[in-house]
Amino acid sequence: PNEDERLAHLYSPFGAALREIPYAVAGDICALTKISSAETGDTLSTPDDPLLIAPWDMPEPQLPMAVVAANRSDEDALARNLGRLVAADPTLRLERNAETSQLVVWCTGEAHADVVLARLCDGGADVTTEPVRIPLRETFARAATGHGKHVKQSGGHGQYAVCDIEVEPLPRGAGVEFADRVVGGAVPHQFIPSVEKGVRGQLAAGITEGRPIVDVRVTLVDGKAHSVDSSDAAFQTAGALAIKAAATAGLTALEPLDEVEVRLPDTYFGAVLGDLSSRRGRVLGTEAPGGGTTVIRAEVPATELLRYAVDLRSITSGTATFSRHHVRYDPAPDHAAALR
C-alpha cells in the first residue's frame, strides 16, 4: 500500500559522518533520517509522478540460529532489536517455535549470522545462542488398551470416573480420531465429550518430553460413573490417565521430513549426492535443465539439515542453492530421537 513520507533532509554518507546535500541523482547513494514506514525494497518517489522499482529476488534464509537473552532484563531489548533487524533485512526470518519455546532467527549463512549477533549486541542486548532443537512427535507402536480411574474422596462431593479405551496407530498424517463403543450407558452420554477432551489434551501434551502423540484412533469402550461424584473434570482426568496407561505398551518417535531441491553445477553432482546420502536422504529424482546445471530432489530428515546451508556452500564452493519444505513425519532412529 502507498504511504506518505515527509522528507526534511537528504544526506550523503561519508565514512561515519553524514553530509547534507540538496539533491541526489540516479546512481547516487544517499541517506534519509526519521523514516516512518519505508522498509528495505520500497521505492520512494514524488506523488505527482509515482514510480515503482520491481523488487529483486532475495536469497531464502536456510540457516537457523536459536538466540537467547542472557538474562531477563535483556529480553525486551532482544525483542525490540530483532524487530528492527527483520524490518530492515528481508533475508532474515524470525520464528517463535511454540513446541521448543525457542526464538529462531533464520539467516543466509554463518557470516550473516555473525552480523546479526553483532548488531543485537550493539543494540544493547546481551545475547547468547543455543543448539536449535527439532520438535519430534510420537505415535503408538502397536494397538494398546488403557484403563483410567480417577477416584477421590475428601469430604462433601468427591470425584469418580472410570474409563477403558483402545488405541490403534493410524497411517502417517491421519491425525487423531476419537470414537466410542460404550453400551448400556456405562459412561453417561454427557460425559463422553469430557473423556474425549481429556484424551486429546493428554495426546497433545505427550508422554515423553512433551512430544505430541499423533496418528492414532482412540475408542472409548467401557467405564463407570457415580450418580453424585462423577463430573466433567473427573472424566477428563480419567481419559488422560487412560492414555498414560496405554502408552506403556510402547511409543515410536517421529521426526519431521523435508523435501529438498538442490540446484548445482554438474561438477559437484557426485559430492552433493554422497553428502545427501550421509544425511539419511532419499533421492526422489534428478533433472538436467541445461547449461551445465543439475537439480536434485530428495527427502531428508530436518534434524540433518540444521547446518546444510553452510555445508552445501563448502562442498560446492558457494555455487549451489537449495530450497526445502516440510512434507510429513516419519519414524526416527533411536540416535536421532535421543538428540532432540
Side-chain angles (χ1 to χ4, degrees):
N2 294 326
E3 298 284 347
D4 290 334
E5 289 279 6
R6 297 184 65 86
L7 307 181
H9 302 281
L10 187 64
Y11 299 94
S12 173
F14 185 72
L18 293 177
R19 300 181 300 181
E20 188 169 355
I21 55 177
Y23 60 87
V25 300
D28 284 354
I29 295 176
C30 61
L32 302 172
T33 59
K34 299 181 181 179
I35 297 293
S36 60
S37 60
E39 297 180 355
T40 302
D42 289 346
T43 303
L44 297 179
S45 64
T46 175
D48 299 332
D49 185 19
L51 299 173
L52 177 63
I53 297 177
W56 53 92
D57 292 332
M58 294 291 185
E60 184 71 19
Q62 299 286 12
L63 180 66
M65 175 178 64
V67 294
V68 183
N71 51 64
R72 188 172 295 275
S73 63
D74 288 309
E75 290 180 357
D76 288 342
L78 173 59
R80 185 170 56 253
N81 290 333
L82 275 175
R84 291 173 180 169
L85 286 178
V86 171
D89 187 348
T91 61
L92 270 184
R93 179 160 56 90
L94 187 61
E95 171 189 301
R96 168 71 76 174
N97 193 306
E99 293 184 42
T100 64
S101 300
Q102 285 190 309
L103 190 61
V104 180
V105 182
W106 289 80
C107 308
T108 57
E110 284 185 308
H112 191 198
D114 291 341
V115 170
V116 170
L117 285 176
R119 289 181 177 174
L120 288 175
C121 293
D122 290 343
D126 190 1
V127 178
T128 59
T129 62
E130 63 181 11
V132 176
R133 297 191 295 273
I134 299 296
L136 303 185
R137 302 278 191 274
E138 287 186 317
T139 192
F140 276 72
R142 60 188 68 84
T145 60
H147 177 73
K149 182 177 182 180
H150 181 61
V151 178
K152 187 175 290 186
Q153 295 291 337
S154 57
H157 283 312
Q159 298 181 50
Y160 187 95
V162 178
C163 64
D164 292 286
I165 62 171
E166 294 177 354
V167 185
E168 56 184 312
L170 295 177
R172 298 286 77 79
V176 174
E177 298 179 9
F178 182 86
D180 76 270
R181 294 204 309 267
V182 177
V183 295
V187 177
H189 181 73
Q190 69 267 28
F191 292 133
I192 290 176
S194 304
V195 176
E196 179 178 1
K197 187 174 181 180
V199 164
R200 289 185 179 274
Q202 189 61 60
L203 291 174
I207 305 295
T208 309
E209 300 181 15
R211 300 172 183 171
I213 299 173
V214 298
D215 300 339
V216 293
R217 178 184 292 116
V218 180
T219 305
L220 177 63
V221 295
D222 201 1
K224 294 181 181 178
H226 189 276
S227 59
V228 176
D229 293 341
S230 289
S231 65
D232 169 68
F235 271 101
Q236 284 189 45
T237 303
L241 292 173
I243 286 293
K244 289 182 177 180
T248 59
L251 297 174
T252 297
L254 303 174
E255 63 180 349
L257 202 67
D258 285 7
E259 183 173 319
V260 178
E261 184 175 289
V262 186
R263 184 176 295 269
L264 67 151
D266 296 342
T267 311
Y268 301 103
F269 179 80
V272 171
L273 208 59
D275 180 69
L276 288 172
S277 297
S278 71
R279 298 173 188 271
R280 298 187 285 125
R282 183 172 68 89
V283 175
L284 302 176
T286 62
E287 299 175 14
T293 301
T294 298
V295 176
I296 301 175
R297 290 189 305 108
E299 290 181 343
V300 187
T303 52
E304 303 287 347
L305 294 173
L306 292 175
R307 299 274 304 170
Y308 191 57
V310 176
D311 297 338
L312 180 64
R313 182 170 297 160
S314 175
I315 293 171
T316 64
S317 300
T319 58
T321 59
F322 79 101
S323 61
R324 56 188 280 194
H325 65 271
H326 173 75
V327 286
R328 65 179 182 278
Y329 280 82
D330 264 5
D334 293 339
H335 75 275
L339 290 176
R340 180 190 185 275

Coordinates of all heavy atoms in Angstrom, one line a residue, residues 74-154:
D74 N 17.4 -8.4 29.6 CA 17.7 -8.3 28.2 C 16.6 -8.7 27.2 O 16.8 -8.5 26.0 CB 19.0 -9.0 27.9 CG 20.2 -8.4 28.5 OD1 20.4 -7.2 28.3 OD2 21.0 -9.1 29.2
E75 N 15.6 -9.3 27.7 CA 14.5 -9.9 26.8 C 13.8 -8.8 26.0 O 13.6 -9.0 24.8 CB 13.5 -10.7 27.7 CG 14.1 -12.0 28.2 CD 13.1 -12.8 29.0 OE1 12.0 -12.3 29.2 OE2 13.5 -13.9 29.5
D76 N 13.5 -7.7 26.7 CA 12.8 -6.6 25.9 C 13.7 -6.0 24.9 O 13.3 -5.8 23.7 CB 12.4 -5.5 26.9 CG 11.2 -6.0 27.8 OD1 10.6 -6.9 27.4 OD2 11.0 -5.3 28.8
A77 N 15.0 -5.8 25.2 CA 16.0 -5.3 24.2 C 16.1 -6.3 23.1 O 16.3 -5.8 21.9 CB 17.3 -5.0 24.9
L78 N 16.2 -7.6 23.3 CA 16.3 -8.6 22.3 C 15.1 -8.5 21.3 O 15.3 -8.5 20.1 CB 16.4 -10.0 22.9 CG 16.4 -11.2 21.9 CD1 17.6 -11.0 20.9 CD2 16.5 -12.5 22.7
A79 N 13.9 -8.5 21.9 CA 12.7 -8.5 21.0 C 12.7 -7.2 20.2 O 12.3 -7.2 19.0 CB 11.5 -8.6 21.9
R80 N 13.0 -6.1 20.8 CA 13.0 -4.8 20.1 C 14.0 -4.7 19.0 O 13.7 -4.3 17.9 CB 13.2 -3.7 21.1 CG 13.1 -2.3 20.5 CD 13.1 -1.2 21.6 NE 14.3 -1.3 22.5 CZ 14.4 -1.7 23.7 NH1 13.3 -2.2 24.3 NH2 15.5 -1.8 24.4
N81 N 15.2 -5.2 19.3 CA 16.2 -5.2 18.2 C 16.0 -6.2 17.1 O 16.3 -5.9 15.9 CB 17.6 -5.4 18.9 CG 18.1 -4.3 19.7 OD1 17.7 -3.1 19.5 ND2 18.9 -4.6 20.8
L82 N 15.4 -7.3 17.5 CA 15.1 -8.3 16.4 C 14.0 -7.8 15.5 O 14.1 -7.9 14.3 CB 14.6 -9.6 17.0 CG 15.7 -10.6 17.5 CD1 15.1 -11.8 18.2 CD2 16.5 -11.1 16.3
G83 N 13.1 -7.1 16.0 CA 12.0 -6.5 15.2 C 12.6 -5.5 14.2 O 12.2 -5.5 13.0
R84 N 13.6 -4.7 14.7 CA 14.2 -3.7 13.8 C 15.0 -4.4 12.7 O 15.0 -4.0 11.5 CB 15.1 -2.8 14.6 CG 14.3 -1.8 15.5 CD 15.3 -1.1 16.4 NE 14.6 -0.2 17.3 CZ 15.2 0.5 18.4 NH1 16.5 0.3 18.6 NH2 14.5 1.3 19.1
L85 N 15.7 -5.4 13.1 CA 16.6 -6.1 12.1 C 15.8 -6.8 11.0 O 16.1 -6.7 9.9 CB 17.5 -7.1 12.8 CG 18.7 -6.6 13.6 CD1 19.4 -7.7 14.3 CD2 19.6 -5.8 12.8
V86 N 14.7 -7.4 11.4 CA 13.8 -8.1 10.5 C 13.2 -7.2 9.5 O 13.0 -7.4 8.3 CB 12.8 -9.0 11.2 CG1 11.8 -9.6 10.2 CG2 13.5 -10.1 12.0
A87 N 12.8 -6.0 10.0 CA 12.2 -5.0 9.2 C 13.2 -4.4 8.2 O 12.8 -4.1 7.0 CB 11.6 -3.8 10.0
A88 N 14.5 -4.3 8.6 CA 15.5 -3.8 7.7 C 16.1 -4.8 6.7 O 16.6 -4.4 5.7 CB 16.6 -3.1 8.5
D89 N 16.1 -6.0 7.1 CA 16.8 -7.1 6.3 C 15.8 -8.1 5.8 O 15.4 -9.0 6.6 CB 17.9 -7.7 7.2 CG 18.7 -8.7 6.5 OD1 18.4 -9.0 5.3 OD2 19.8 -9.1 7.0
P90 N 15.4 -8.1 4.6 CA 14.4 -9.1 4.1 C 15.0 -10.5 4.0 O 14.2 -11.4 3.7 CB 14.1 -8.5 2.7 CG 15.3 -7.7 2.3 CD 15.8 -7.1 3.6
T91 N 16.3 -10.7 4.2 CA 16.8 -12.0 4.1 C 16.9 -12.7 5.5 O 17.4 -13.8 5.7 CB 18.3 -12.0 3.6 OG1 19.1 -11.2 4.4 CG2 18.3 -11.5 2.2
L92 N 16.3 -12.0 6.5 CA 16.1 -12.6 7.9 C 14.7 -13.0 8.1 O 13.7 -12.4 7.6 CB 16.4 -11.5 8.9 CG 17.8 -11.3 9.4 CD1 17.9 -10.3 10.5 CD2 18.4 -12.6 9.9
R93 N 14.5 -14.2 8.7 CA 13.2 -14.7 9.1 C 13.2 -15.0 10.6 O 14.1 -15.7 11.0 CB 12.8 -15.9 8.2 CG 11.5 -16.4 8.5 CD 10.9 -17.3 7.4 NE 11.9 -18.3 7.0 CZ 11.8 -19.6 7.5 NH1 11.0 -19.9 8.5 NH2 12.7 -20.5 7.1
L94 N 12.2 -14.6 11.3 CA 12.1 -14.8 12.7 C 11.0 -15.8 13.0 O 9.9 -15.7 12.4 CB 11.8 -13.5 13.4 CG 11.9 -13.5 14.9 CD1 13.2 -13.9 15.4 CD2 11.5 -12.1 15.5
E95 N 11.3 -16.8 13.8 CA 10.3 -17.8 14.1 C 10.3 -18.1 15.6 O 11.4 -18.3 16.2 CB 10.7 -19.1 13.4 CG 9.9 -20.3 13.7 CD 10.4 -21.6 13.1 OE1 10.5 -21.6 11.8 OE2 10.8 -22.5 13.8
R96 N 9.1 -18.0 16.2 CA 9.0 -18.5 17.6 C 8.4 -19.9 17.6 O 7.2 -20.1 17.3 CB 8.1 -17.5 18.4 CG 7.6 -18.0 19.7 CD 8.8 -18.0 20.8 NE 9.1 -16.7 21.3 CZ 9.9 -16.4 22.2 NH1 10.6 -17.4 22.8 NH2 10.2 -15.2 22.6
N97 N 9.2 -20.9 18.0 CA 8.7 -22.2 18.0 C 8.0 -22.5 19.3 O 8.6 -22.6 20.3 CB 9.9 -23.2 17.8 CG 9.5 -24.6 17.4 OD1 8.7 -25.2 18.1 ND2 10.0 -25.1 16.3
A98 N 6.7 -22.7 19.1 CA 5.9 -23.0 20.3 C 6.2 -24.3 21.0 O 6.1 -24.4 22.2 CB 4.4 -22.9 19.9
E99 N 6.6 -25.3 20.3 CA 6.9 -26.6 20.9 C 8.2 -26.6 21.6 O 8.3 -27.2 22.7 CB 6.9 -27.7 19.8 CG 5.5 -27.9 19.2 CD 5.5 -29.0 18.2 OE1 6.1 -30.0 18.4 OE2 4.9 -28.8 17.1
T100 N 9.2 -26.0 21.1 CA 10.5 -26.0 21.8 C 10.8 -24.7 22.6 O 11.8 -24.6 23.3 CB 11.7 -26.1 20.8 OG1 11.7 -24.9 19.9 CG2 11.5 -27.3 19.9
S101 N 9.9 -23.7 22.5 CA 10.0 -22.4 23.2 C 11.3 -21.7 22.8 O 11.8 -20.9 23.6 CB 9.9 -22.6 24.7 OG 8.7 -23.2 25.1
Q102 N 11.8 -21.9 21.6 CA 13.0 -21.3 21.1 C 12.6 -20.1 20.2 O 11.7 -20.2 19.5 CB 13.9 -22.3 20.4 CG 14.6 -23.2 21.3 CD 15.7 -24.0 20.6 OE1 15.4 -24.6 19.5 NE2 16.9 -24.0 21.1
L103 N 13.5 -19.1 20.3 CA 13.4 -18.0 19.3 C 14.4 -18.2 18.3 O 15.6 -18.2 18.6 CB 13.6 -16.6 20.1 CG 13.4 -15.3 19.3 CD1 11.9 -15.3 18.9 CD2 13.7 -14.1 20.1
V104 N 14.0 -18.5 17.0 CA 14.9 -18.9 16.0 C 15.0 -17.9 14.9 O 14.0 -17.4 14.4 CB 14.5 -20.3 15.4 CG1 15.4 -20.7 14.3 CG2 14.4 -21.4 16.4
V105 N 16.2 -17.4 14.6 CA 16.5 -16.5 13.6 C 17.1 -17.2 12.4 O 18.1 -17.9 12.5 CB 17.5 -15.4 14.0 CG1 17.7 -14.4 12.9 CG2 16.9 -14.7 15.2
W106 N 16.4 -17.2 11.2 CA 16.9 -17.8 10.0 C 17.8 -16.9 9.2 O 17.3 -15.8 8.8 CB 15.7 -18.3 9.2 CG 15.0 -19.5 9.8 CD1 14.1 -19.4 10.8 CD2 15.2 -20.9 9.5 NE1 13.6 -20.7 11.2 CE2 14.3 -21.6 10.4 CE3 15.9 -21.6 8.6 CZ2 14.2 -23.0 10.3 CZ3 15.8 -23.0 8.6 CH2 15.0 -23.7 9.4
C107 N 19.0 -17.3 9.0 CA 20.0 -16.4 8.3 C 20.4 -17.1 7.0 O 20.1 -18.3 6.7 CB 21.2 -16.2 9.1 SG 20.9 -15.6 10.8
T108 N 21.1 -16.4 6.1 CA 21.6 -17.0 4.8 C 22.9 -17.7 5.0 O 23.3 -18.5 4.1 CB 21.7 -15.9 3.8 OG1 22.6 -14.9 4.2 CG2 20.4 -15.3 3.5
G109 N 23.6 -17.5 6.0 CA 24.9 -18.2 6.2 C 25.6 -17.8 7.5 O 25.0 -17.0 8.3
E110 N 26.8 -18.3 7.8 CA 27.5 -18.0 9.0 C 27.9 -16.5 9.1 O 27.8 -16.0 10.2 CB 28.7 -18.9 9.1 CG 28.4 -20.3 9.5 CD 29.7 -21.2 9.7 OE1 30.5 -21.1 8.8 OE2 29.8 -21.8 10.8
A111 N 28.4 -15.9 8.1 CA 28.7 -14.5 8.1 C 27.5 -13.7 8.4 O 27.6 -12.7 9.2 CB 29.4 -14.1 6.8
H112 N 26.4 -14.0 7.8 CA 25.2 -13.3 8.1 C 24.8 -13.4 9.6 O 24.4 -12.4 10.2 CB 24.1 -13.8 7.2 CG 22.8 -13.0 7.2 ND1 21.6 -13.4 6.7 CD2 22.6 -11.7 7.5 CE1 20.7 -12.5 6.8 NE2 21.3 -11.4 7.3
A113 N 24.9 -14.6 10.1 CA 24.5 -14.9 11.5 C 25.4 -14.1 12.4 O 25.0 -13.5 13.4 CB 24.6 -16.4 11.8
D114 N 26.7 -14.0 12.1 CA 27.7 -13.2 12.9 C 27.3 -11.7 12.9 O 27.4 -11.1 14.0 CB 29.1 -13.4 12.4 CG 29.6 -14.8 12.7 OD1 29.1 -15.5 13.5 OD2 30.6 -15.2 12.0
V115 N 26.9 -11.2 11.8 CA 26.5 -9.8 11.7 C 25.2 -9.6 12.5 O 25.1 -8.6 13.2 CB 26.2 -9.4 10.2 CG1 25.6 -8.1 10.1 CG2 27.6 -9.4 9.4
V116 N 24.3 -10.5 12.4 CA 23.0 -10.3 13.2 C 23.4 -10.3 14.7 O 22.9 -9.5 15.5 CB 22.1 -11.5 12.9 CG1 20.9 -11.5 13.9 CG2 21.6 -11.4 11.5
L117 N 24.2 -11.2 15.2 CA 24.6 -11.2 16.6 C 25.3 -9.9 17.0 O 25.0 -9.4 18.1 CB 25.5 -12.4 16.9 CG 24.8 -13.8 16.9 CD1 25.8 -14.9 17.1 CD2 23.8 -13.9 18.1
A118 N 26.2 -9.5 16.1 CA 26.9 -8.2 16.5 C 25.9 -7.1 16.6 O 26.1 -6.2 17.5 CB 28.0 -8.0 15.4
R119 N 25.0 -7.0 15.7 CA 24.0 -5.9 15.7 C 23.1 -6.0 16.9 O 22.7 -4.9 17.5 CB 23.2 -5.8 14.4 CG 24.0 -5.4 13.2 CD 23.2 -5.3 11.9 NE 24.0 -4.8 10.8 CZ 23.6 -4.8 9.6 NH1 22.4 -5.2 9.3 NH2 24.4 -4.3 8.6
L120 N 22.7 -7.2 17.3 CA 21.9 -7.3 18.5 C 22.7 -6.8 19.7 O 22.1 -6.1 20.6 CB 21.5 -8.8 18.7 CG 20.5 -9.3 17.7 CD1 20.3 -10.8 17.9 CD2 19.1 -8.6 17.9
C121 N 24.0 -7.2 19.8 CA 24.8 -6.7 20.9 C 25.0 -5.2 20.9 O 24.9 -4.5 21.9 CB 26.1 -7.4 20.9 SG 26.0 -9.2 21.3
D122 N 25.2 -4.7 19.7 CA 25.4 -3.2 19.6 C 24.1 -2.5 20.0 O 24.2 -1.3 20.4 CB 25.7 -2.8 18.1 CG 27.1 -3.3 17.7 OD1 27.9 -3.6 18.6 OD2 27.4 -3.4 16.5
G123 N 23.0 -3.1 19.8 CA 21.7 -2.5 20.2 C 21.4 -2.6 21.7 O 20.3 -2.2 22.1
G124 N 22.3 -3.1 22.5 CA 22.2 -3.2 23.9 C 21.6 -4.5 24.5 O 21.2 -4.5 25.7
A125 N 21.5 -5.5 23.7 CA 21.0 -6.8 24.1 C 22.2 -7.8 24.3 O 22.9 -8.0 23.4 CB 20.0 -7.4 23.2
D126 N 22.3 -8.3 25.5 CA 23.3 -9.3 25.8 C 22.7 -10.7 25.4 O 21.8 -11.2 26.0 CB 23.6 -9.3 27.3 CG 24.8 -10.2 27.6 OD1 25.4 -10.8 26.7 OD2 25.2 -10.3 28.8
V127 N 23.2 -11.2 24.3 CA 22.6 -12.4 23.6 C 23.5 -13.5 23.5 O 24.7 -13.3 23.3 CB 22.1 -12.0 22.2 CG1 21.5 -13.2 21.5 CG2 21.1 -10.8 22.3
T128 N 23.0 -14.7 23.8 CA 23.8 -16.0 23.5 C 23.0 -16.8 22.6 O 21.8 -16.6 22.3 CB 24.0 -16.7 24.9 OG1 22.7 -17.1 25.4 CG2 24.8 -15.9 25.8
T129 N 23.7 -17.9 22.1 CA 23.0 -18.8 21.2 C 23.0 -20.2 21.8 O 23.7 -20.5 22.7 CB 23.7 -18.9 19.8 OG1 25.0 -19.4 20.0 CG2 23.7 -17.5 19.2
E130 N 22.1 -21.0 21.3 CA 22.0 -22.4 21.8 C 21.6 -23.3 20.6 O 21.2 -22.8 19.6 CB 21.0 -22.5 22.9 CG 19.5 -22.2 22.5 CD 18.5 -22.4 23.6 OE1 19.0 -22.5 24.8 OE2 17.3 -22.3 23.3
P131 N 21.9 -24.6 20.7 CA 21.6 -25.5 19.6 C 20.1 -25.5 19.3 O 19.2 -25.4 20.2 CB 22.0 -26.9 20.1 CG 23.0 -26.6 21.2 CD 22.6 -25.3 21.8
V132 N 19.8 -25.5 18.0 CA 18.4 -25.5 17.6 C 17.8 -26.9 17.8 O 18.4 -27.9 17.4 CB 18.3 -25.1 16.1 CG1 16.8 -25.2 15.6 CG2 18.8 -23.7 15.8
R133 N 16.7 -26.9 18.4 CA 16.0 -28.2 18.7 C 14.9 -28.4 17.7 O 14.1 -27.5 17.4 CB 15.5 -28.2 20.1 CG 16.5 -28.1 21.2 CD 15.9 -28.4 22.6 NE 14.9 -27.4 23.0 CZ 15.2 -26.3 23.6 NH1 16.5 -26.0 23.9 NH2 14.2 -25.5 24.0
I134 N 14.9 -29.6 17.2 CA 13.8 -30.0 16.2 C 12.7 -30.7 16.9 O 12.9 -31.8 17.6 CB 14.4 -31.0 15.1 CG1 15.5 -30.3 14.3 CG2 13.3 -31.4 14.2 CD1 15.1 -29.0 13.6
P135 N 11.5 -30.2 16.9 CA 10.4 -30.8 17.6 C 10.0 -32.2 17.0 O 9.8 -32.3 15.8 CB 9.2 -29.8 17.5 CG 9.6 -29.0 16.3 CD 11.1 -29.0 16.2
L136 N 9.9 -33.2 17.8 CA 9.6 -34.5 17.4 C 8.1 -34.8 17.8 O 7.5 -34.1 18.6 CB 10.5 -35.6 18.0 CG 12.0 -35.5 17.7 CD1 12.7 -36.7 18.3 CD2 12.3 -35.3 16.2
R137 N 7.6 -35.8 17.2 CA 6.2 -36.4 17.5 C 6.4 -37.8 18.0 O 7.5 -38.4 17.8 CB 5.3 -36.3 16.3 CG 5.1 -35.0 15.7 CD 4.1 -34.2 16.5 NE 3.7 -33.0 15.8 CZ 4.3 -31.8 15.8 NH1 5.4 -31.7 16.5 NH2 3.9 -30.7 15.1
E138 N 5.3 -38.4 18.5 CA 5.3 -39.8 18.8 C 4.0 -40.4 18.4 O 3.0 -39.7 18.2 CB 5.5 -40.0 20.3 CG 6.9 -39.8 20.8 CD 7.2 -40.1 22.2 OE1 6.3 -39.8 23.1 OE2 8.2 -40.7 22.5
T139 N 4.0 -41.7 18.2 CA 2.8 -42.4 17.9 C 2.9 -43.8 18.5 O 3.9 -44.2 19.0 CB 2.5 -42.6 16.4 OG1 1.2 -43.0 16.1 CG2 3.5 -43.6 15.7
F140 N 1.7 -44.5 18.6 CA 1.7 -45.8 19.2 C 2.4 -46.8 18.3 O 2.1 -46.8 17.1 CB 0.3 -46.2 19.6 CG -0.2 -45.7 20.9 CD1 -0.4 -44.3 21.1 CD2 -0.3 -46.5 22.0 CE1 -0.9 -43.8 22.3 CE2 -0.7 -46.0 23.2 CZ -1.0 -44.7 23.4
A141 N 3.3 -47.6 18.8 CA 3.9 -48.6 18.0 C 3.0 -49.8 17.6 O 3.2 -50.4 16.6 CB 5.2 -49.2 18.8
R142 N 2.0 -50.0 18.5 CA 1.1 -51.1 18.2 C -0.2 -50.8 18.9 O -0.3 -49.8 19.7 CB 1.6 -52.4 18.7 CG 1.9 -52.4 20.2 CD 2.7 -53.7 20.7 NE 4.0 -53.6 20.1 CZ 5.0 -53.0 20.7 NH1 4.9 -52.3 21.8 NH2 6.2 -53.1 20.2
A143 N -1.2 -51.6 18.7 CA -2.5 -51.4 19.3 C -2.4 -51.6 20.8 O -1.6 -52.5 21.3 CB -3.6 -52.3 18.8
A144 N -3.1 -50.9 21.6 CA -3.0 -51.0 23.1 C -4.3 -50.7 23.7 O -5.2 -50.1 23.1 CB -1.9 -50.0 23.6
T145 N -4.4 -51.0 25.0 CA -5.6 -50.7 25.8 C -5.1 -49.9 27.0 O -4.0 -50.0 27.5 CB -6.3 -52.0 26.3 OG1 -5.4 -52.8 27.1 CG2 -6.8 -52.8 25.1
G146 N -6.0 -49.1 27.5 CA -5.7 -48.3 28.7 C -6.9 -48.2 29.7 O -8.1 -48.1 29.2
H147 N -6.6 -48.2 30.9 CA -7.6 -48.1 32.0 C -7.4 -46.9 32.8 O -6.3 -46.7 33.4 CB -7.6 -49.4 32.9 CG -8.6 -49.3 34.0 ND1 -9.9 -49.5 33.9 CD2 -8.4 -49.1 35.4 CE1 -10.5 -49.4 35.0 NE2 -9.6 -49.2 36.0
G148 N -8.3 -45.9 32.8 CA -8.1 -44.7 33.6 C -9.2 -44.7 34.7 O -10.4 -44.7 34.5
K149 N -8.7 -44.5 36.0 CA -9.6 -44.5 37.1 C -9.2 -43.3 38.0 O -8.1 -43.2 38.4 CB -9.4 -45.8 37.9 CG -10.4 -45.8 39.1 CD -10.2 -47.2 39.8 CE -11.2 -47.3 41.0 NZ -11.1 -48.6 41.7
H150 N -10.2 -42.4 38.2 CA -10.0 -41.2 39.0 C -11.0 -41.2 40.1 O -12.2 -40.9 39.8 CB -10.0 -39.9 38.1 CG -9.8 -38.7 38.9 ND1 -8.6 -38.4 39.6 CD2 -10.6 -37.6 39.2 CE1 -8.7 -37.2 40.2 NE2 -9.9 -36.7 39.9
V151 N -10.6 -41.6 41.3 CA -11.5 -41.6 42.4 C -10.9 -40.9 43.6 O -9.7 -41.1 43.9 CB -11.8 -43.1 42.9 CG1 -12.7 -43.1 44.1 CG2 -12.4 -43.9 41.7
K152 N -11.6 -39.9 44.1 CA -11.1 -39.1 45.2 C -12.2 -38.7 46.1 O -13.2 -38.2 45.7 CB -10.4 -37.9 44.7 CG -9.6 -37.0 45.7 CD -8.9 -35.9 45.1 CE -7.7 -36.4 44.3 NZ -6.8 -35.3 43.8
Q153 N -12.0 -39.0 47.4 CA -13.0 -38.6 48.4 C -12.3 -37.7 49.4 O -11.3 -38.0 50.0 CB -13.5 -39.8 49.2 CG -14.3 -40.8 48.3 CD -15.6 -40.2 47.8 OE1 -16.2 -39.3 48.5 NE2 -16.2 -40.7 46.7
S154 N -12.8 -36.5 49.6 CA -12.2 -35.5 50.5 C -13.2 -34.7 51.3 O -13.1 -33.5 51.6 CB -11.3 -34.5 49.7 OG -12.0 -33.9 48.7

